[in-house]
Amino acid sequence: MGKFTKDMTFEEAIRSNPEVLKVLKKFNLGCIGCMGAQHESLEQGCNAHGLDVETLLKELNQLK
């Protein structure tokens, strides 16, 4: 699996690794069922929710 980047959509990230859902839940991001998840980048979603994208990426990129 490649590295997660801020430009990936939530849908791409979730499809690449099911463990992504656990990390998103930890950050209170309920991306499943959200219309924005298909088109919104990780950076856009974090900005919309007042989160630091680099913190999210650090955790996502620690997934195996």
Side-chain angles (χ1 to χ4, degrees), residues 4-34:
F4 291 95
T5 66
K6 64 183 180 180
D7 298 320
M8 292 180 87
T9 66
F10 281 91
E11 182 179 39
E12 290 170 331
I14 293 165
R15 263 191 286 141
S16 73
N17 185 340
E19 294 295 309
V20 165
L21 292 172
K22 291 180 184 176
V23 176
L24 296 178
K25 185 175 181 179
K26 179 178 176 182
F27 284 84
N28 293 319
L29 293 170
C31 298
I32 292 298
C34 173

Side-chain angles (χ1 to χ4, degrees), residues 26-64:
K26 179 178 176 182
F27 284 84
N28 293 319
L29 293 170
C31 298
I32 292 298
C34 173
M35 293 299 289
Q38 293 179 7
H39 307 288
E40 203 170 64
S41 72
L42 295 176
E43 182 175 42
Q44 290 169 323
C46 283
N47 288 342
H49 291 277
L51 300 170
D52 178 48
V53 70
E54 295 302 325
T55 303
L56 176 64
L57 290 174
K58 182 178 178 183
E59 293 220 20
L60 289 175
N61 284 311
Q62 290 176 354
L63 293 173
K64 302 279 182 200

